[in-house]
Amino acid sequence: MQNLKNKLKHPIFQCISQTSERLGIDAYVVGGFVRDIFLLRDNHDIDIVVLGNGIDFALAVAEQLGIAAKNVAYFKNYGTAMFHYKGAEIEFVGARKESYSHHSRNPHVEAGSLQDDQNRRDFTINAMAISLMPDSYGELIDPFHGLEDIKSKTIRTPLDPEITFSDDPLRIMRAIRFATQLHFSVHSDTFSGMQRAAHRIDIISKERIVEELNKILLSSKPSIGFLLMDKCDILPRILPWIAQLKGVEVIDGHGHKEIFYHTMEVTDKVAMHTNNLWLIWAALLHDVGKPATKKYVKDIGWTFHQHEYIGSKMVVKIFRSLKLPLNEKMDYVKKLVALHLRPIALVEDEVTDSAVRRLLFDAGDDIDDLMLLCEADITSKQQAKVIRYLHNFEIVREKLKEIEEKDRIRNFQPPISGELIMQTFNLPPCQEVGTIKNAIREAILDGIIENQYEPSYQFMLKEAEKLGLTPKK
Ligand code: CTP
């Protein structure tokens, strides 16, 4: 039997071992922490199972460590307790036999053995335990051969998948998330179980689904997860807007680009270059407006007119529906979706200073993220086209740098304030003030005047004159 004593470096384990001996209660470390020992991943979430009352045991360990009882959080209904100690979050629970009611996730809990506890875990790789009792300290208890599944990179349920997924349908998402994060395959029996249980994902809260989705998006190749979600048919249930991107319509022998696979490519490319979750969401949603705007125009072909605008409006609906934050994160995703064609439109035409200035003005500090998204969006199969676009992109980047250094448009603050216009012409707040301010901004963006006080002031005087205004004496 494998002994993992030397992997239990955190001081909490010795303390749990002593408490276990003192109280005569068996204790084990289980789940993700054990799995991650073998995957060589850092894990600071330590789950402890005891054959007794988890809360009492946690309080006894806390007392031994000098942690006040008020710093132990516990949930009587679930029999769990948690506290933080030396950089780790340690959760205690009494081993249980568990059955879930069919319509909700609230489990009916009954005390059980370690084997019962391992039976009710999601996957074999998460169902391993290590003994913390002094006489068997460090011994691995692996009844479902989780270690072999780690070696063969397999996600598999310990019990009949029917039972495991019906106990908690969120596990369908967890299987996909682990497969994506770890580059593991889902065992075919387990996958069939996921397909059969797919409809039950509807009972899971949006927040918990999104937590898994975010982990998928933050992995090195999110498309693995999305293709699995599609294959087991939960994609239309949780992200219908993305499922609708699938397929190619053909009219007069002309098909359009497959949007779902294109979206996957773009999302992967962006995820490869950033850990910014919201930028990856923007990549996922950048073409979400295409199905609604798709049109076949004779002699022209397929068009998706204004899909960026419709898509950016859909972002609000999607964020609301998924209970994603309706704050500046959403505004950022909206903005990137709305602007995602702008850099490419720039390179298709001649790259003028004024177009670059306007892009800088509209994108502000998010210009670099927008450029990353837009560059990832170039996925044509025609290699020559891709090379030409990427080359033109370099020109845009150069121009962006040059103009930013010269004109400082990125976080544009008008050199002439509305206040100053009112003072100069003795005006109350009125339409004329806005007209003059806009004219100055436009002149700066068009490169007619420089983004500086003096030329802007002179320009203001001229604009005011056109409106019949004269400076007060
Ligand atoms: N678990 C489960 N079913 C779930 C959630 C969790 O059986 N729906 C079990 C698994 O044994 C898992 C453990 O509870 O290993 C801890 O779950 P959690 O902390 O959510 O995830 P980890 O597996 O630790 O993975 P990660 O830290 O990557 O989220």
Side-chain angles (χ1 to χ4, degrees):
M1 187 168 296
Q2 190 157 2
N3 195 296
L4 298 158
K5 212 180 282 183
N6 60 348
K7 304 285 181 197
L8 304 176
K9 294 207 172 79
H10 197 285
I12 192 70
F13 294 119
Q14 279 302 335
C15 181
I16 291 172
S17 187
Q18 287 156 14
T19 307
S20 157
E21 187 172 36
R22 186 159 50 87
L23 302 181
I25 291 178
D26 293 2
Y28 306 87
V29 53
V30 294
F33 183 88
V34 182
R35 175 199 68 218
D36 286 344
I37 290 177
F38 299 107
L39 291 172
L40 308 176
R41 297 202 312 176
D42 256 356
N43 192 331
H44 303 283
D45 289 343
I46 300 175
D47 290 327
I48 304 296
V49 165
V50 300
L51 303 190
N53 186 309
I55 298 175
D56 292 347
F57 192 92
L59 288 168
V61 176
E63 193 183 355
Q64 192 180 328
L65 292 168
I67 295 171
K70 70 171 171 30
N71 291 328
V72 178
Y74 56 87
F75 302 93
K76 272 216 167 104
N77 286 352
Y78 290 88
T80 62
M82 188 275 286
F83 60 78
H84 292 269
Y85 180 63
K86 296 205 167 164
E89 186 177 301
I90 302 134
E91 188 166 326
F92 297 80
V93 65
R96 47 202 169 165
K97 269 186 200 154
E98 213 165 87
S99 58
Y100 286 73
S101 92
H102 202 71
H103 297 292
S104 84
R105 286 201 67 260
N106 291 336
H108 164 72
V109 181
E110 212 180 293
S113 63
L114 175 68
Q115 174 82 42
D116 290 330
D117 190 276
Q118 287 174 299
N119 279 340
R120 54 157 278 274
R121 290 187 177 264
D122 52 3
F123 307 115
T124 58
I125 61 167
N126 290 340
M128 295 181 281
I130 301 174
S131 166
L132 297 176
M133 281 84 74
D135 54 355
S136 52
Y137 189 81
E139 274 175 18
L140 179 69
I141 303 141
D142 181 17
F144 306 108
H145 310 289
L147 194 48
E148 274 172 35
D149 282 343
I150 285 187
K151 286 184 183 143
S152 66
K153 296 176 171 271
T154 308
I155 307 287
R156 183 203 315 254
T157 55
L159 302 180
D160 180 342
E162 204 83 25
I163 301 170
T164 304
F165 291 119
S166 125
D167 273 357
D168 180 4
L170 180 73
R171 289 169 170 170
I172 302 170
M173 283 299 288
R174 282 175 61 87
I176 295 172
R177 187 256 289 187
F178 284 120
T180 314
Q181 277 182 330
L182 304 174
H183 291 226
F184 277 29
S185 320
V186 182
H187 187 275
S188 57
D189 293 345
T190 299
F191 196 77
S192 308
M194 286 160 61
Q195 286 175 310
R196 285 194 298 275
H199 64 282
R200 298 207 58 235
I201 199 76
D202 299 350
I203 67 165
I204 301 297
S205 75
K206 293 285 196 306
E207 288 86 346
R208 301 187 77 218
I209 291 176
V210 161
E211 206 178 304
E212 297 300 326
L213 269 180
N214 286 346
K215 287 182 179 172
I216 291 170
L217 287 170
L218 283 170
S219 43
S220 58
K221 199 169 182 220
S223 66
I224 298 176
F226 284 88
L227 297 179
L228 285 171
M229 281 186 251
D230 176 41
K231 202 166 152 204
C232 81
D233 223 25
I234 60 167
L235 191 64
R237 295 184 173 274
I238 61 177
L239 284 170
W241 317 275
I242 301 299
Q244 275 156 22
L245 303 180
K246 286 194 68 191
V248 176
E249 205 178 323
V250 180
I251 296 184
D252 292 348
H254 296 282
H256 57 74
K257 191 167 180 171
E258 217 285 351
I259 312 164
F260 176 67
Y261 293 103
H262 164 74
T263 297
M264 291 298 103
E265 240 183 292
V266 177
T267 308
D268 281 351
K269 277 207 234 171
V270 169
M272 211 173 356
H273 288 100
T274 184
N275 291 324
N276 174 351
L277 174 65
W278 305 106
L279 178 52
I280 307 170
W281 267 104
L284 181 70
L285 299 179
H286 79 284
D287 271 348
V288 81
K290 275 195 166 172
T293 54
K294 182 166 85 172
K295 226 188 213 152
Y296 183 75
V297 185
K298 223 174 165 44
D299 299 329
I300 292 180
W302 288 99
T303 64
F304 302 91
H305 194 52
Q306 291 216 314
H307 76 269
E308 71 284 14
Y309 170 68
I310 299 296
S312 81
K313 284 181 62 163
M314 286 173 72
V315 168
V316 182
K317 195 173 137 193
I318 294 170
F319 268 52
R320 186 165 290 137
S321 160
L322 292 176
K323 301 217 162 65
L324 280 161
L326 305 176
N327 57 14
E328 73 286 348
K329 312 283 186 217
M330 180 188 74
D331 293 336
Y332 165 88
V333 175
K334 242 178 95 176
K335 174 166 151 186
L336 289 185
V337 172
L339 295 179
H340 83 269
L341 294 179
R342 289 278 296 280
I344 201 78
L346 256 182
V347 306
E348 277 168 345
D349 297 338
E350 198 194 339
V351 189
T352 64
D353 284 11
S354 105
V356 173
R357 239 182 253 114
R358 281 181 185 280
L359 179 62
L360 264 172
F361 175 72
D362 289 336
D365 263 344
D366 302 320
I367 185 71
D368 298 326
D369 295 350
L370 179 65
M371 290 297 283
L372 177 61
L373 170 62
C374 199
E375 211 160 354
D377 197 13
I378 303 168
T379 64
S380 170
K381 291 219 165 49
Q382 303 165 37
Q383 209 42 32
K385 194 169 162 188
V386 173
I387 291 171
R388 180 162 52 84
Y389 272 29
L390 291 178
H391 172 71
N392 287 353
F393 245 82
E394 271 317 299
I395 302 177
V396 176
R397 282 188 196 278
E398 285 297 309
K399 272 251 183 259
L400 278 167
K401 228 164 87 192
E402 194 184 298
I403 289 187
E404 178 56 13
E405 272 164 23
K406 189 156 65 94
D407 297 346
R408 292 168 290 107
I409 298 289
R410 186 184 277 240
N411 287 313
F412 185 81
Q413 293 296 335
I416 300 289
S417 67
E419 205 52 31
L420 185 75
I421 300 170
M422 289 193 277
Q423 263 177 31
T424 312
F425 301 101
N426 201 15
L427 290 171
C430 60
Q431 204 186 342
E432 280 80 358
V433 179
T435 308
I436 297 171
K437 243 180 103 174
N438 281 346
I440 299 171
R441 188 193 64 212
E442 292 300 299
I444 292 171
L445 292 178
D446 282 339
I448 296 168
I449 54 171
E450 279 186 49
N451 185 16
Q452 280 166 8
Y453 179 81
E454 198 42 46
S456 302
Y457 189 85
Q458 293 307 325
F459 191 84
M460 170 188 76
L461 293 179
K462 272 196 228 145
E463 283 304 300
E465 203 181 325
K466 283 190 210 159
L467 297 173
L469 298 169
T470 44
K472 72 175 179 194
K473 292 279 175 300

